[in-house]
Amino acid sequence: RALLRLRSDKVERPMKLLVLLHEDTDRPGVFHEFLDEDGHSYDAVHMHRNTPLPSLEGYDALWVMGGPQNTWETEQYPWLVAEKALIREAVEQRGLPFLGICLGHQLLAEALGGEVGPATTPEIGVFDVQLTEAGATGVFFDGVTERFPVLHWHSAEIHKLPQGAQVLATAPACAVQAMRWGTRAFSTQFHLEADEDTITRWMGQPDGVAALVDTLGTDGPARYEAAARDRMSTLNETAERLYINWLQCAAQAVPA
């Protein structure tokens, strides 16, 4: 793990993160390992369990993970309203470093005035994304090839960017694969966090497996799992590279 040796100089002190979760099977995944090895810590808030949101005081960054909910389902999941407000406070008002994954990517867009809706073509599987000029020349994707495979599982997408946002990665089926807002807020539509345990937990979720069957056919779950596990090493290497790059951006906001 040569990349691990590159992390220690990215922040001047351990960071305390707030991580928002939306389902028991969606967790920080491989990022938990990275954070632990670097001496960083996080508090997890389970939004789907109606856990009250804490104040952002004392936190150095906000991460928002994936989940089965849609950003517009506020009647079914009323806590989405408070979650978007917290994201807006963190990013717009406090300038906290931010990382959003899948649903977190979409929530960032809506919190800042963008629009999210059903995807024209749901993406489920391992597919390539392509860096835009902004992505290829920026810090977040530094060291990543301009075209690379990522793990997808989403049926919603960003239809309209927030004012001031930049698209960092794109694909034919979904134009906004990665986004930047300001200097410290980054998000990806794809699942950077997924590791072997993530796939095991996803495949053990009856509702998720049923959704894969509905979308991909009876052999869909097996094909999805095989594709993810076959590329896991490459996927995790990309995740580690982007984690290091995110730390470099976050370091600008973390006081010594």
Side-chain angles (χ1 to χ4, degrees):
R1 301 292 298 282
L3 288 179
L4 296 178
R5 295 193 294 271
L6 300 177
R7 297 194 200 136
S8 59
D9 62 344
K10 298 306 179 186
V11 292
E12 297 180 6
R13 65 174 177 83
M15 298 177 69
K16 180 69 173 291
L17 286 71
L18 179 64
V19 179
L20 306 186
L21 307 174
H22 308 95
E23 188 176 38
D24 289 338
T25 54
D26 286 296
R27 302 175 185 175
V30 71
F31 288 128
H32 175 90
E33 174 187 348
F34 299 159
L35 290 167
D36 186 60
E37 288 171 336
D38 286 349
H40 306 305
S41 62
Y42 65 88
D43 290 335
V45 174
H46 298 270
M47 301 301 298
H48 55 294
R49 300 178 188 170
N50 291 311
T51 305
L53 281 167
S55 166
L56 290 169
E57 291 294 334
Y59 290 105
D60 299 306
L62 174 65
W63 283 10
V64 182
M65 308 307 292
Q69 301 85 3
N70 289 307
T71 60
W72 58 85
E73 294 177 321
T74 53
E75 290 190 8
Q76 185 175 355
Y77 308 107
W79 43 262
L80 283 168
V81 176
E83 184 171 12
K84 293 176 195 177
L86 187 77
I87 293 171
R88 188 162 50 250
E89 177 189 348
V91 174
E92 279 192 338
Q93 299 174 25
R94 295 177 179 263
L96 283 180
F98 177 93
L99 181 65
I101 302 292
C102 199
L103 177 60
H105 167 74
Q106 298 164 9
L107 286 169
L108 174 65
E110 278 208 354
L112 299 178
E115 296 177 4
V116 176
T120 303
T121 305
E123 290 183 302
I124 303 175
V126 178
F127 306 110
D128 285 356
V129 298
Q130 176 76 40
L131 295 182
T132 64
E133 181 177 355
T137 58
V139 175
F140 188 59
F141 284 102
D142 183 44
V144 178
T145 59
E146 291 194 15
R147 185 180 179 90
F148 57 98
V150 292
L151 183 65
H152 301 269
W153 191 344
H154 69 100
S155 57
E157 64 182 323
I158 295 173
H159 288 175
K160 179 182 176 182
L161 287 171
Q163 185 174 0
Q166 283 185 307
V167 178
L168 303 182
T170 189
C174 176
V176 188
Q177 291 285 350
M179 180 178 70
R180 165 188 168 180
W181 190 90
T183 60
R184 305 182 187 107
F186 298 88
S187 61
T188 69
Q189 183 59 74
F190 43 90
H191 283 279
L192 278 175
E193 85 288 5
D195 57 10
E196 295 284 356
D197 182 61
T198 302
I199 302 305
T200 298
R201 286 185 282 104
W202 285 357
M203 293 301 103
Q205 186 79 357
D207 290 346
V209 171
L212 289 177
V213 171
D214 288 343
T215 306
L216 303 177
T218 55
D219 65 341
R223 288 190 290 112
Y224 184 87
E225 180 176 6
R229 294 196 189 280
D230 181 61
R231 304 302 296 274
M232 189 58 67
S233 177
T234 298
L235 299 174
N236 288 168
E237 287 177 5
T238 299
E240 186 172 12
R241 181 74 260 176
L242 296 187
Y243 165 79
I244 292 169
N245 294 343
W246 181 85
L247 281 181
Q248 184 174 346
C249 297
Q252 303 171 20
V254 178

